[in-house]
Amino acid sequence: MDRRALLTALLVAGAVGLSACSDSPSQAKEPTPAALLATAKQKLDATTGVSFTLASAAVPKGVNGVSAAKGIGVVNPAPAFKGTVNATVSGVTGTVDVIAVDKDVYMKLFTPEYNKVDPAVFGAPNPAQLFNKSSGISTLLPATTALVRGDRAREGNDVLKTVRGKVPGDRIAALFVFGDKSGVFDVTYGLDEKTGQLRKATMTGPFFPGATSTYTLLLTGYGNPATITKP
């Protein structure tokens, strides 16, 4: 083989090798942020239930509203919640036991028994509706705009992919009952690297007049088979 033929053969071999490398699984293109959120919504909408924790930061003192919550949320077959809610009403802060099944909410308000209440009176959402596939947490995902892929982050023993974006205030207010409907909220989602599940959502913005507050929710234990009934 002459020099020219040898050079041509080497160039062809190199091109084939590069093509093979670019098509290897390890070099596969990452899903877009929108695709990651779409998968996370499907995962949450399809589960039976999850363990749920809500925490807050920089909430003005004395304002009516929820500052924390913890419990089990049921997504399928119908939205429900059982746990505790920390709220402030007329300057008084306390933690109450709550059971919510679809549109009915029951609280232990300084009594050993549960009493049916309207949570909006306390500036609080119906916690069962946070797990409603048509209007709950999962609906924030497709409503998020200006999506940007963030760095990976660790949550306990798990590694999360992060996606940052913005959510219009009317969607936040519809979910939480409080929040500036005309405002814009910054949100960061943490998605389990292995399963694609939504594990964390941090929302920052004008939840209360004259302040910028942050609410962080954590979702774990997907597939929880909890059955929650009215008391």
Side-chain angles (χ1 to χ4, degrees), residues 72-145:
I72 299 295
V74 173
V75 180
N76 291 299
F81 172 85
K82 183 175 182 179
T84 59
V85 172
N86 187 287
T88 298
V89 180
S90 299
V92 178
T93 299
T95 300
V96 295
D97 294 317
V98 178
I99 292 177
V101 178
D102 198 8
K103 296 183 179 180
D104 295 327
V105 181
Y106 303 84
M107 293 183 180
K108 286 186 178 181
L109 296 172
F110 311 108
T111 64
E113 294 86 23
Y114 284 95
N115 295 285
K116 191 173 182 179
V117 301
D118 178 2
V121 173
F122 307 103
N126 175 342
Q129 295 306 308
L130 297 177
F131 305 98
N132 188 318
K133 292 179 288 187
S134 299
S135 58
I137 295 167
S138 73
T139 63
L140 292 182
L141 299 169
T144 307
T145 61

Side-chain angles (χ1 to χ4, degrees), residues 150-202:
D151 295 331
R152 282 173 168 78
R154 185 168 290 280
E155 184 67 37
N157 294 324
D158 300 321
V159 176
L160 307 182
K161 295 180 179 180
T162 61
V163 173
R164 301 192 306 273
K166 296 184 181 296
V167 176
D170 59 342
R171 302 304 294 266
I172 293 290
L175 185 65
F176 287 101
V177 180
F178 51 88
D180 184 353
K181 293 181 180 180
S182 62
V184 176
F185 291 73
D186 294 318
V187 61
T188 299
Y189 299 110
L191 313 168
D192 188 280
E193 188 171 49
K194 295 180 180 178
T195 65
Q197 297 167 344
L198 174 65
R199 292 287 309 283
K200 186 175 184 178
T202 302

Side-chain angles (χ1 to χ4, degrees), residues 14-40:
V16 171
L18 287 173
S19 176
C21 288
S22 64
D23 292 337
S24 65
S26 62
Q27 297 296 321
K29 190 176 180 180
E30 286 261 338
T32 65
L36 290 172
L37 296 188
T39 296

